[in-house]
């Protein structure tokens, strides 16, 4: 409740965002490395690969020093993800999951088994969603295979990718077990469906909570810094400062009203 001011989702809207999303990233269908600081000098490289008919932004992230990496939210389109591994030459050492919705993790368990790697995340409060992946898969026409993560994550945890360490923040609201991954050095965060360019995650799903989502954004994301770039689960990257100025749902002005 309490989210009556959000625009009703329409046929063209992303099913996980509170408002229609912009055109998917220009690299749709190809893995184009998106280096977020200093082009070649960043210790963290990211290639965004939209997957599933819901055009969910799977991120291939890797440590440039070791060329070891992880997929964040490999929800489906496994041939695309295999091609990204081949194109980048990255050795995948784990899979990271932000939350239990099918477009983010429907085929994560399949890929983990194929690559022989562990799954870390989300928070265990999303067990409900992971358990019903097969059922949701039938509803969405997407393959969904339930799995058990090697490690559930909680607020304050860290995950490693190669020589890099990313911080875990628990950001409930869109789902109760949603987490985000932040690399302070590269000033970048993978935020799943918590926040989008110009929008926020939907909270009208089972176990969604609008006030929790707002609290997560204000208390967990904004303190990471205005100059931190975020990769959302759908649509284009933005930075927290831009959203604090212009996002009609969570700008400083909107929340002060």
């Amino acid at each position: 409740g309490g989210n009556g001011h959000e625009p009703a989702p329409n046929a063209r809207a992303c099913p996980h965002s509170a408002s229609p999303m912009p055109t998917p990233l220009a690299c749709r269908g190809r893995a184009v490395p998106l280096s977020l600081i200093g082009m070649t000098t960043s210790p963290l490289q990211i290639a965004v690969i939209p997957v599933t008919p819901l055009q969910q932004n799977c991120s291939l992230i890797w440590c440039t020093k070791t060329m070891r990496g992880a997929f964040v939210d490999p929800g489906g389109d496994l041939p695309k993800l295999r091609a990204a591994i081949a194109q980048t030459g990255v050795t995948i050492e784990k899979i990271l999951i932000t939350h239990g919705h099918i477009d983010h993790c429907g085929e994560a368990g399949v890929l983990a088994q194929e690559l022989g790697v562990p799954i870390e995340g989300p928070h265990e409060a999303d067990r409900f969603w992971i358990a019903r992946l097969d059922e949701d898969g039938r509803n969405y026409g997407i393959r969904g295979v339930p799995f058990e993560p090697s490690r559930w994550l909680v607020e304050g945890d860290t995950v490693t990718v190669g020589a890099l360490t990313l911080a875990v923040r628990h950001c409930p609201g869109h789902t109760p077990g949603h987490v985000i991954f932040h690399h302070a050095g590269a000033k970048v965060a993978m935020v799943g469906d918590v926040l989008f360019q110009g929008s926020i995650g939907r909270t009208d799903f089972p176990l969604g909570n609008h006030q929790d989502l707002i609290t997560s954004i204000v208390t967990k994301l904004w303190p990471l810094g205005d100059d931190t770039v975020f990769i959302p689960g759908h649509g284009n990257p933005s930075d927290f400062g831009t959203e604090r100025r212009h996002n009609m749902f969570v700008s400083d002005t909107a929340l002060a009203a």
Side-chain angles (χ1 to χ4, degrees), residues 188-208:
V188 65
M190 274 66 63
V191 303
D193 289 352
V194 175
L195 180 70
F196 302 100
Q197 180 187 59
S199 190
I200 58 174
R202 278 177 61 177
T203 52
D204 58 343
F205 291 115
L207 308 183

Side-chain angles (χ1 to χ4, degrees), residues 50-52 56 58 73-81 102-108 142-143:
V51 296
T52 80
Q56 190 276 126
C58 171
D73 290 353
D77 289 338
L78 300 191
K80 262 192 199 180
L81 304 186
I102 189 161
D103 50 325
H104 293 258
C105 65
E107 290 197 79
I142 302 173
R143 187 179 183 200

Side-chain angles (χ1 to χ4, degrees), residues 4 18 24 52 80 85 108 122 146 148 154 164 180 191 202 205 211 250:
T52 80
K80 262 192 199 180
I85 296 172
E148 181 75 15
V154 298
L164 305 174
I180 66 107
V191 303
R202 278 177 61 177
F205 291 115
Q211 191 51 55
V250 285

Side-chain angles (χ1 to χ4, degrees), residues 27-118:
C27 65
R28 177 177 174 178
R30 317 193 294 286
V32 177
L34 172 67
S35 179
L36 293 171
I37 60 169
M39 284 313 285
T40 52
T41 57
S42 173
L44 172 69
Q45 292 273 347
I46 303 180
V48 178
I49 310 147
V51 296
T52 80
L54 301 177
Q55 290 292 293
Q56 190 276 126
N57 290 331
C58 171
S59 292
L60 168 54
I61 67 173
W62 70 96
C63 164
T64 53
K65 193 162 83 176
T66 63
M67 288 305 286
R68 298 181 73 81
F71 280 116
V72 181
D73 290 353
D77 289 338
L78 300 191
K80 262 192 199 180
L81 304 186
R82 292 184 201 107
I85 296 172
Q87 183 180 335
T88 57
V90 170
T91 300
I92 301 296
E93 60 181 15
K94 66 184 60 173
I95 288 168
L96 302 175
I97 302 295
T98 64
H99 67 293
H101 282 164
I102 189 161
D103 50 325
H104 293 258
C105 65
E107 290 197 79
V110 178
L111 184 62
Q113 200 165 18
E114 179 184 304
L115 298 177
V117 299

